[in-house]
Amino acid sequence: MANEHENLITAEEKKDLEAELKKLVAVKRPEVIEELRIARSYGDLSENAEYDAARKKQGIIESRIGEIETILKTATVVTEDHGRDVVTIGNTVEVKVQGEGKKVYDIGVEGKGVEVSSHSPIAEALLGKQKGDVVVVTLPKGEVEMTIQKII
């Protein structure tokens, strides 16, 4: 089942993906094509380690290009001008974890707290919630109860 938050990215994440895609297409792809051309010139491809390495590198690059293109085509860009009433992508959320104390999570973006992906169990539990809400998150170590203290 598709997750409703799975394809959300911030404008900054989109910009970073576009820059990575541009570098892969304009720089890395031509470099590996040249490596393949040179490796082919060595002759017998069946025992050509340089050719095999370049083909493997090409596969990794092409795979990443496809992955980024899919993300950019299917993602919804959320703005970071989201306010502090409801937890959204880009918020920093301070929670009180039962039995552990306070923790800070940055939802989907880099920051000072613990960065969590927008489709991680913690983010899924927090997205759409408000200050004072209590959420239960299922983690590998078991269920954890969190109370939202502050949305930044």
Side-chain angles (χ1 to χ4, degrees):
M1 181 166 80
N3 183 309
E4 68 181 278
H5 302 295
E6 190 168 12
N7 294 320
L8 299 178
I9 61 174
T10 64
E12 182 178 339
E13 289 169 325
K14 180 181 180 194
K15 181 180 169 188
D16 291 345
L17 286 169
E18 289 171 336
E20 181 182 355
L21 180 61
K22 183 177 180 180
K23 182 177 181 181
L24 287 169
V25 171
V27 178
K28 297 296 183 181
R29 183 185 270 166
E31 285 176 356
V32 79
I33 290 170
E34 180 61 14
E35 288 175 24
L36 284 166
R37 187 191 66 71
I38 291 169
R40 278 192 204 104
S41 73
Y42 297 149
D44 184 9
L45 298 180
S46 64
E47 296 182 18
N48 188 328
E50 289 86 358
Y51 181 77
D52 291 341
R55 289 284 296 166
K56 183 176 181 178
K57 186 176 176 181
Q58 182 184 37
I60 292 168
I61 290 169
E62 294 302 326
S63 176
R64 183 63 181 154
I65 288 171
E67 180 182 3
I68 293 171
E69 288 175 338
T70 299
I71 291 169
L72 291 173
K73 285 179 190 172
T74 61
T76 301
V77 178
V78 293
T79 63
E80 293 187 44
D81 183 21
H82 39 64
R84 296 183 177 134
D85 296 330
V86 176
V87 178
T88 62
I89 303 293
N91 276 125
T92 298
V93 183
E94 183 180 293
V95 298
K96 183 176 181 186
V97 181
Q98 185 178 29
E100 295 182 32
K102 289 188 180 180
K103 291 193 177 187
V104 177
Y105 297 103
D106 289 324
I107 309 297
V109 295
E110 294 179 21
K112 296 179 183 175
V114 177
E115 181 182 348
V116 293
S117 166
S118 61
H119 55 272
S120 70
I122 293 171
E124 285 297 316
L126 295 173
L127 287 168
K129 301 300 189 283
Q130 299 177 339
K131 180 180 176 183
D133 285 352
V134 176
V135 298
V136 177
V137 183
T138 302
L139 299 173
K141 66 180 181 179
E143 287 190 346
V144 176
E145 186 176 291
M146 300 178 180
T147 304
I148 298 173
Q149 303 291 305
K150 192 185 298 183
I151 302 169
I152 304 166

